[in-house]
Short mmCIF file of all heavy atoms in Angstrom, two decimals:
data_model
loop_
_atom_site.label_atom_id
_atom_site.label_comp_id
_atom_site.label_asym_id
_atom_site.label_seq_id
_atom_site.Cartn_x
_atom_site.Cartn_y
_atom_site.Cartn_z
N THR A 104 23.99 -19.26 -16.75
CA THR A 104 25.28 -18.78 -17.28
C THR A 104 26.39 -18.85 -16.24
O THR A 104 27.55 -18.59 -16.57
CB THR A 104 25.16 -17.33 -17.79
OG1 THR A 104 24.77 -16.47 -16.72
CG2 THR A 104 24.17 -17.24 -18.94
N GLY A 105 26.05 -19.22 -15.02
CA GLY A 105 27.07 -19.32 -13.97
C GLY A 105 28.24 -20.20 -14.33
O GLY A 105 29.41 -19.77 -14.25
N PRO A 106 27.99 -21.45 -14.76
CA PRO A 106 29.13 -22.31 -15.13
C PRO A 106 29.93 -21.76 -16.32
O PRO A 106 31.15 -21.92 -16.38
CB PRO A 106 28.45 -23.64 -15.53
CG PRO A 106 27.12 -23.61 -14.87
CD PRO A 106 26.73 -22.17 -14.78
N LEU A 107 29.24 -21.08 -17.24
CA LEU A 107 29.91 -20.51 -18.40
C LEU A 107 30.95 -19.46 -17.99
O LEU A 107 32.03 -19.37 -18.56
CB LEU A 107 28.88 -19.89 -19.35
CG LEU A 107 29.39 -19.27 -20.62
CD1 LEU A 107 29.98 -20.36 -21.55
CD2 LEU A 107 28.28 -18.52 -21.33
N PHE A 108 30.59 -18.68 -16.96
CA PHE A 108 31.50 -17.63 -16.48
C PHE A 108 32.27 -18.04 -15.23
O PHE A 108 32.93 -17.22 -14.60
CB PHE A 108 30.70 -16.34 -16.20
CG PHE A 108 30.15 -15.71 -17.43
CD1 PHE A 108 28.82 -15.85 -17.77
CD2 PHE A 108 30.98 -14.99 -18.28
CE1 PHE A 108 28.31 -15.27 -18.92
CE2 PHE A 108 30.48 -14.41 -19.44
CZ PHE A 108 29.13 -14.56 -19.76
N GLY A 109 32.17 -19.30 -14.88
CA GLY A 109 32.92 -19.81 -13.74
C GLY A 109 32.49 -19.20 -12.42
O GLY A 109 33.28 -19.12 -11.49
N TYR A 110 31.24 -18.83 -12.34
CA TYR A 110 30.69 -18.22 -11.11
C TYR A 110 31.61 -17.10 -10.61
O TYR A 110 31.87 -16.95 -9.41
CB TYR A 110 30.48 -19.27 -10.02
CG TYR A 110 29.54 -20.36 -10.42
CD1 TYR A 110 30.00 -21.62 -10.82
CD2 TYR A 110 28.16 -20.15 -10.42
CE1 TYR A 110 29.13 -22.62 -11.19
CE2 TYR A 110 27.27 -21.16 -10.80
CZ TYR A 110 27.78 -22.39 -11.19
OH TYR A 110 26.91 -23.38 -11.56
N SER A 111 32.11 -16.31 -11.53
CA SER A 111 33.09 -15.27 -11.20
C SER A 111 32.45 -14.12 -10.43
O SER A 111 31.22 -13.99 -10.35
CB SER A 111 33.72 -14.72 -12.48
OG SER A 111 32.74 -14.01 -13.22
N ASP A 112 33.31 -13.28 -9.90
CA ASP A 112 32.84 -12.09 -9.19
C ASP A 112 32.08 -11.17 -10.14
O ASP A 112 31.08 -10.56 -9.74
CB ASP A 112 34.02 -11.33 -8.57
CG ASP A 112 34.63 -12.07 -7.39
OD1 ASP A 112 33.96 -12.98 -6.86
OD2 ASP A 112 35.76 -11.73 -7.01
N THR A 113 32.53 -11.07 -11.36
CA THR A 113 31.85 -10.22 -12.35
C THR A 113 30.45 -10.76 -12.62
O THR A 113 29.50 -9.99 -12.74
CB THR A 113 32.66 -10.15 -13.66
OG1 THR A 113 33.98 -9.69 -13.35
CG2 THR A 113 32.00 -9.24 -14.66
N TRP A 114 30.34 -12.08 -12.74
CA TRP A 114 29.04 -12.72 -12.96
C TRP A 114 28.07 -12.37 -11.83
O TRP A 114 26.91 -12.04 -12.06
CB TRP A 114 29.25 -14.23 -13.07
CG TRP A 114 27.99 -15.05 -13.16
CD1 TRP A 114 27.22 -15.22 -14.26
CD2 TRP A 114 27.41 -15.80 -12.12
NE1 TRP A 114 26.16 -16.04 -13.97
CE2 TRP A 114 26.25 -16.40 -12.64
CE3 TRP A 114 27.73 -16.01 -10.78
CZ2 TRP A 114 25.42 -17.22 -11.89
CZ3 TRP A 114 26.90 -16.84 -10.03
CH2 TRP A 114 25.78 -17.42 -10.59
N GLN A 115 28.55 -12.42 -10.61
CA GLN A 115 27.72 -12.07 -9.45
C GLN A 115 27.42 -10.58 -9.41
O GLN A 115 26.32 -10.16 -9.06
CB GLN A 115 28.41 -12.50 -8.16
CG GLN A 115 28.51 -14.00 -8.01
CD GLN A 115 29.26 -14.39 -6.75
OE1 GLN A 115 29.21 -13.68 -5.75
NE2 GLN A 115 29.95 -15.52 -6.80
N LEU A 116 28.41 -9.77 -9.79
CA LEU A 116 28.24 -8.33 -9.77
C LEU A 116 27.16 -7.87 -10.75
O LEU A 116 26.42 -6.92 -10.47
CB LEU A 116 29.58 -7.65 -10.10
CG LEU A 116 29.61 -6.13 -9.98
CD1 LEU A 116 29.33 -5.72 -8.54
CD2 LEU A 116 30.96 -5.60 -10.43
N VAL A 117 27.02 -8.55 -11.87
CA VAL A 117 26.02 -8.19 -12.86
C VAL A 117 24.62 -8.26 -12.25
O VAL A 117 23.83 -7.31 -12.34
CB VAL A 117 26.13 -9.09 -14.11
CG1 VAL A 117 24.90 -8.95 -15.00
CG2 VAL A 117 27.38 -8.77 -14.89
N ILE A 118 24.28 -9.37 -11.61
CA ILE A 118 22.93 -9.51 -11.05
C ILE A 118 22.75 -8.61 -9.83
O ILE A 118 21.68 -8.03 -9.63
CB ILE A 118 22.60 -10.99 -10.72
CG1 ILE A 118 21.08 -11.18 -10.56
CG2 ILE A 118 23.30 -11.46 -9.47
CD1 ILE A 118 20.30 -11.07 -11.83
N ASN A 119 23.79 -8.49 -9.02
CA ASN A 119 23.68 -7.63 -7.84
C ASN A 119 23.45 -6.17 -8.23
O ASN A 119 22.60 -5.49 -7.65
CB ASN A 119 24.93 -7.74 -6.97
CG ASN A 119 25.01 -9.07 -6.25
OD1 ASN A 119 24.01 -9.76 -6.09
ND2 ASN A 119 26.21 -9.45 -5.84
N THR A 120 24.19 -5.69 -9.20
CA THR A 120 24.04 -4.31 -9.65
C THR A 120 22.67 -4.08 -10.27
O THR A 120 21.98 -3.11 -9.97
CB THR A 120 25.15 -3.93 -10.65
OG1 THR A 120 26.41 -4.16 -10.04
CG2 THR A 120 25.03 -2.49 -11.08
N GLY A 121 22.27 -5.00 -11.15
CA GLY A 121 20.97 -4.87 -11.81
C GLY A 121 19.81 -4.86 -10.83
O GLY A 121 18.92 -4.00 -10.90
N THR A 122 19.81 -5.80 -9.90
CA THR A 122 18.70 -5.86 -8.94
C THR A 122 18.72 -4.68 -7.98
O THR A 122 17.66 -4.19 -7.59
CB THR A 122 18.72 -7.18 -8.15
OG1 THR A 122 19.99 -7.34 -7.51
CG2 THR A 122 18.43 -8.37 -9.05
N THR A 123 19.89 -4.20 -7.62
CA THR A 123 19.98 -3.04 -6.73
C THR A 123 19.40 -1.80 -7.40
O THR A 123 18.62 -1.05 -6.79
CB THR A 123 21.43 -2.79 -6.31
OG1 THR A 123 21.92 -3.93 -5.62
CG2 THR A 123 21.54 -1.57 -5.41
N ILE A 124 19.76 -1.58 -8.65
CA ILE A 124 19.25 -0.40 -9.37
C ILE A 124 17.75 -0.48 -9.53
O ILE A 124 17.02 0.49 -9.27
CB ILE A 124 19.95 -0.27 -10.74
CG1 ILE A 124 21.42 0.13 -10.53
CG2 ILE A 124 19.24 0.74 -11.62
CD1 ILE A 124 22.27 0.03 -11.80
N ILE A 125 17.25 -1.65 -9.94
CA ILE A 125 15.81 -1.81 -10.13
C ILE A 125 15.06 -1.62 -8.81
O ILE A 125 14.04 -0.93 -8.74
CB ILE A 125 15.49 -3.18 -10.76
CG1 ILE A 125 15.97 -3.18 -12.21
CG2 ILE A 125 14.01 -3.50 -10.69
CD1 ILE A 125 15.97 -4.54 -12.87
N THR A 126 15.57 -2.22 -7.74
CA THR A 126 14.93 -2.09 -6.42
C THR A 126 14.92 -0.64 -5.97
O THR A 126 13.90 -0.14 -5.48
CB THR A 126 15.65 -2.95 -5.38
OG1 THR A 126 15.63 -4.31 -5.82
CG2 THR A 126 15.00 -2.84 -4.02
N PHE A 127 16.03 0.05 -6.12
CA PHE A 127 16.13 1.44 -5.71
C PHE A 127 15.09 2.30 -6.43
O PHE A 127 14.38 3.09 -5.82
CB PHE A 127 17.55 1.95 -6.00
CG PHE A 127 17.78 3.37 -5.62
CD1 PHE A 127 17.93 3.73 -4.29
CD2 PHE A 127 17.84 4.37 -6.59
CE1 PHE A 127 18.15 5.05 -3.93
CE2 PHE A 127 18.06 5.69 -6.24
CZ PHE A 127 18.21 6.04 -4.91
N LEU A 128 14.98 2.14 -7.74
CA LEU A 128 14.01 2.93 -8.50
C LEU A 128 12.57 2.54 -8.19
O LEU A 128 11.68 3.39 -8.09
CB LEU A 128 14.28 2.78 -10.00
CG LEU A 128 15.61 3.35 -10.48
CD1 LEU A 128 15.83 3.02 -11.95
CD2 LEU A 128 15.68 4.85 -10.24
N MET A 129 12.32 1.25 -7.99
CA MET A 129 10.96 0.78 -7.72
C MET A 129 10.43 1.29 -6.38
O MET A 129 9.24 1.52 -6.24
CB MET A 129 10.90 -0.75 -7.76
CG MET A 129 10.97 -1.31 -9.17
SD MET A 129 9.69 -0.72 -10.27
CE MET A 129 8.24 -1.36 -9.49
N VAL A 130 11.31 1.48 -5.42
CA VAL A 130 10.88 2.01 -4.12
C VAL A 130 10.18 3.35 -4.31
O VAL A 130 9.10 3.59 -3.76
CB VAL A 130 12.07 2.15 -3.15
CG1 VAL A 130 11.72 3.01 -1.95
CG2 VAL A 130 12.54 0.79 -2.70
N PHE A 131 10.74 4.21 -5.10
CA PHE A 131 10.15 5.54 -5.32
C PHE A 131 8.86 5.45 -6.12
O PHE A 131 7.88 6.15 -5.83
CB PHE A 131 11.15 6.46 -6.01
CG PHE A 131 12.35 6.74 -5.17
CD1 PHE A 131 13.56 6.13 -5.44
CD2 PHE A 131 12.27 7.61 -4.10
CE1 PHE A 131 14.67 6.37 -4.65
CE2 PHE A 131 13.37 7.87 -3.31
CZ PHE A 131 14.57 7.25 -3.58
N LEU A 132 8.84 4.59 -7.13
CA LEU A 132 7.63 4.45 -7.94
C LEU A 132 6.48 3.86 -7.14
O LEU A 132 5.35 4.32 -7.21
CB LEU A 132 7.93 3.60 -9.17
CG LEU A 132 8.91 4.20 -10.16
CD1 LEU A 132 9.21 3.20 -11.27
CD2 LEU A 132 8.37 5.50 -10.74
N ILE A 133 6.77 2.84 -6.35
CA ILE A 133 5.72 2.22 -5.53
C ILE A 133 5.24 3.19 -4.46
O ILE A 133 4.03 3.28 -4.19
CB ILE A 133 6.23 0.90 -4.91
CG1 ILE A 133 6.42 -0.14 -6.01
CG2 ILE A 133 5.27 0.38 -3.85
CD1 ILE A 133 7.16 -1.38 -5.57
N GLN A 134 6.14 3.92 -3.84
CA GLN A 134 5.74 4.89 -2.82
C GLN A 134 4.86 5.96 -3.41
O GLN A 134 3.86 6.37 -2.81
CB GLN A 134 6.97 5.52 -2.15
CG GLN A 134 6.63 6.41 -0.99
CD GLN A 134 5.95 5.65 0.13
OE1 GLN A 134 6.42 4.61 0.56
NE2 GLN A 134 4.83 6.14 0.61
N ASN A 135 5.18 6.42 -4.61
CA ASN A 135 4.35 7.42 -5.28
C ASN A 135 2.96 6.87 -5.55
O ASN A 135 1.96 7.55 -5.31
CB ASN A 135 5.01 7.86 -6.58
CG ASN A 135 4.18 8.88 -7.32
OD1 ASN A 135 3.36 8.53 -8.15
ND2 ASN A 135 4.38 10.14 -7.00
N ALA A 136 2.88 5.64 -6.02
CA ALA A 136 1.57 5.02 -6.30
C ALA A 136 0.77 4.87 -5.01
O ALA A 136 -0.44 5.13 -4.98
CB ALA A 136 1.76 3.67 -6.98
N GLN A 137 1.41 4.46 -3.93
CA GLN A 137 0.71 4.30 -2.65
C GLN A 137 0.25 5.64 -2.10
O GLN A 137 -0.85 5.75 -1.56
CB GLN A 137 1.61 3.59 -1.63
CG GLN A 137 1.74 2.12 -1.90
CD GLN A 137 2.58 1.43 -0.84
OE1 GLN A 137 3.45 2.02 -0.20
NE2 GLN A 137 2.32 0.15 -0.64
N ASN A 138 1.08 6.66 -2.22
CA ASN A 138 0.68 8.00 -1.75
C ASN A 138 -0.53 8.49 -2.52
O ASN A 138 -1.48 9.04 -1.95
CB ASN A 138 1.83 8.99 -1.92
CG ASN A 138 2.96 8.77 -0.95
OD1 ASN A 138 2.83 8.01 0.01
ND2 ASN A 138 4.08 9.38 -1.21
N ARG A 139 -0.51 8.29 -3.83
CA ARG A 139 -1.62 8.72 -4.67
C ARG A 139 -2.90 7.96 -4.32
O ARG A 139 -3.96 8.53 -4.18
CB ARG A 139 -1.26 8.51 -6.14
CG ARG A 139 -1.68 9.59 -7.05
CD ARG A 139 -1.27 9.43 -8.49
NE ARG A 139 -1.23 8.08 -9.00
CZ ARG A 139 -0.12 7.34 -9.16
NH1 ARG A 139 1.04 7.85 -8.84
NH2 ARG A 139 -0.17 6.14 -9.64
N ASP A 140 -2.77 6.64 -4.16
CA ASP A 140 -3.93 5.82 -3.80
C ASP A 140 -4.49 6.22 -2.43
O ASP A 140 -5.69 6.33 -2.25
CB ASP A 140 -3.57 4.34 -3.79
CG ASP A 140 -3.35 3.77 -5.17
OD1 ASP A 140 -3.70 4.46 -6.15
OD2 ASP A 140 -2.81 2.65 -5.27
N GLY A 141 -3.59 6.44 -1.48
CA GLY A 141 -4.03 6.84 -0.14
C GLY A 141 -4.76 8.18 -0.16
O GLY A 141 -5.78 8.35 0.50
N SER A 142 -4.23 9.12 -0.93
CA SER A 142 -4.89 10.43 -1.03
C SER A 142 -6.25 10.33 -1.70
O SER A 142 -7.21 10.98 -1.29
CB SER A 142 -4.00 11.41 -1.82
OG SER A 142 -2.83 11.69 -1.10
N ALA A 143 -6.34 9.49 -2.73
CA ALA A 143 -7.63 9.32 -3.42
C ALA A 143 -8.66 8.67 -2.49
O ALA A 143 -9.81 9.10 -2.43
CB ALA A 143 -7.44 8.47 -4.67
N ILE A 144 -8.24 7.66 -1.76
CA ILE A 144 -9.15 7.00 -0.81
C ILE A 144 -9.59 7.98 0.26
O ILE A 144 -10.76 8.03 0.64
CB ILE A 144 -8.49 5.75 -0.20
CG1 ILE A 144 -8.38 4.65 -1.26
CG2 ILE A 144 -9.27 5.25 1.01
CD1 ILE A 144 -7.54 3.47 -0.84
N GLN A 145 -8.65 8.77 0.77
CA GLN A 145 -8.98 9.75 1.81
C GLN A 145 -9.98 10.77 1.29
O GLN A 145 -10.92 11.15 1.98
CB GLN A 145 -7.72 10.44 2.32
CG GLN A 145 -7.92 11.20 3.58
CD GLN A 145 -8.40 10.30 4.70
OE1 GLN A 145 -7.80 9.28 4.99
NE2 GLN A 145 -9.50 10.65 5.33
N ALA A 146 -9.79 11.23 0.06
CA ALA A 146 -10.72 12.20 -0.52
C ALA A 146 -12.12 11.59 -0.68
O ALA A 146 -13.13 12.25 -0.41
CB ALA A 146 -10.20 12.69 -1.88
N LYS A 147 -12.17 10.34 -1.07
CA LYS A 147 -13.46 9.65 -1.21
C LYS A 147 -14.14 9.48 0.15
O LYS A 147 -15.35 9.69 0.27
CB LYS A 147 -13.27 8.29 -1.89
CG LYS A 147 -12.86 8.42 -3.34
CD LYS A 147 -12.53 7.06 -3.94
CE LYS A 147 -12.01 7.21 -5.36
NZ LYS A 147 -11.68 5.91 -5.96
N LEU A 148 -13.37 9.12 1.15
CA LEU A 148 -13.94 8.97 2.49
C LEU A 148 -14.43 10.32 3.02
O LEU A 148 -15.51 10.39 3.63
CB LEU A 148 -12.91 8.37 3.46
CG LEU A 148 -12.58 6.90 3.24
CD1 LEU A 148 -11.42 6.49 4.14
CD2 LEU A 148 -13.80 6.03 3.51
N ASP A 149 -13.66 11.36 2.79
CA ASP A 149 -14.09 12.70 3.22
C ASP A 149 -15.40 13.08 2.55
O ASP A 149 -16.29 13.65 3.17
CB ASP A 149 -13.01 13.74 2.91
CG ASP A 149 -11.80 13.64 3.83
OD1 ASP A 149 -11.88 12.91 4.84
OD2 ASP A 149 -10.80 14.30 3.53
N GLU A 150 -15.53 12.76 1.27
CA GLU A 150 -16.77 13.07 0.56
C GLU A 150 -17.94 12.26 1.12
O GLU A 150 -19.05 12.79 1.27
CB GLU A 150 -16.61 12.79 -0.94
CG GLU A 150 -17.86 13.04 -1.74
CD GLU A 150 -18.42 14.46 -1.62
OE1 GLU A 150 -17.65 15.40 -1.32
OE2 GLU A 150 -19.63 14.63 -1.81
N LEU A 151 -17.71 11.02 1.48
CA LEU A 151 -18.77 10.22 2.10
C LEU A 151 -19.19 10.81 3.44
O LEU A 151 -20.38 10.87 3.75
CB LEU A 151 -18.32 8.77 2.28
CG LEU A 151 -18.23 7.93 1.02
CD1 LEU A 151 -17.59 6.58 1.31
CD2 LEU A 151 -19.60 7.75 0.40
N ILE A 152 -18.22 11.24 4.22
CA ILE A 152 -18.54 11.85 5.52
C ILE A 152 -19.37 13.12 5.31
O ILE A 152 -20.36 13.35 6.00
CB ILE A 152 -17.24 12.18 6.30
CG1 ILE A 152 -16.58 10.88 6.77
CG2 ILE A 152 -17.55 13.07 7.50
CD1 ILE A 152 -15.19 11.08 7.35
N ARG A 153 -18.98 13.93 4.33
CA ARG A 153 -19.74 15.16 4.06
C ARG A 153 -21.15 14.85 3.55
O ARG A 153 -22.09 15.57 3.83
CB ARG A 153 -19.00 16.02 3.02
CG ARG A 153 -17.92 16.87 3.60
CD ARG A 153 -17.45 17.91 2.60
NE ARG A 153 -16.76 17.34 1.46
CZ ARG A 153 -15.46 17.05 1.44
NH1 ARG A 153 -14.73 17.29 2.49
NH2 ARG A 153 -14.91 16.55 0.35
N ALA A 154 -21.30 13.77 2.79
CA ALA A 154 -22.58 13.47 2.15
C ALA A 154 -23.59 12.86 3.12
O ALA A 154 -24.80 12.97 2.90
CB ALA A 154 -22.36 12.53 0.97
N ILE A 155 -23.14 12.23 4.17
CA ILE A 155 -24.04 11.57 5.12
C ILE A 155 -24.47 12.58 6.18
O ILE A 155 -23.63 13.20 6.84
CB ILE A 155 -23.36 10.34 5.75
CG1 ILE A 155 -23.05 9.31 4.67
CG2 ILE A 155 -24.25 9.73 6.82
CD1 ILE A 155 -22.23 8.14 5.14
N ASP A 156 -25.78 12.71 6.35
CA ASP A 156 -26.31 13.73 7.26
C ASP A 156 -25.87 13.54 8.71
O ASP A 156 -25.49 14.49 9.38
CB ASP A 156 -27.85 13.73 7.21
CG ASP A 156 -28.36 14.30 5.89
OD1 ASP A 156 -27.64 15.10 5.27
OD2 ASP A 156 -29.47 13.91 5.48
N ASN A 157 -25.89 12.32 9.21
CA ASN A 157 -25.58 12.09 10.62
C ASN A 157 -24.10 11.89 10.91
O ASN A 157 -23.71 11.69 12.04
CB ASN A 157 -26.35 10.87 11.13
CG ASN A 157 -27.85 11.11 11.12
OD1 ASN A 157 -28.30 12.25 11.19
ND2 ASN A 157 -28.61 10.05 11.00
N ALA A 158 -23.27 11.92 9.86
CA ALA A 158 -21.84 11.73 10.06
C ALA A 158 -21.22 12.94 10.75
O ALA A 158 -21.69 14.06 10.62
CB ALA A 158 -21.15 11.50 8.71
#
Side-chain angles (χ1 to χ4, degrees):
T104 60
L107 181 67
F108 292 102
Y110 301 102
S111 68
D112 289 343
T113 304
W114 174 78
Q115 293 177 31
L116 186 62
V117 166
I118 198 71
N119 288 340
T120 304
T122 55
T123 300
I124 291 169
I125 290 169
T126 302
F127 180 75
L128 295 174
M129 286 302 296
V130 165
F131 296 104
L132 295 175
I133 291 169
Q134 186 62 50
N135 179 268
Q137 286 183 333
N138 289 348
R139 221 177 33 259
D140 289 347
S142 293
I144 289 170
Q145 194 59 53
K147 291 173 185 180
L148 288 172
D149 287 349
E150 178 57 25
L151 287 173
I152 290 171
R153 277 193 293 275
I155 297 173
D156 289 334
N157 295 335

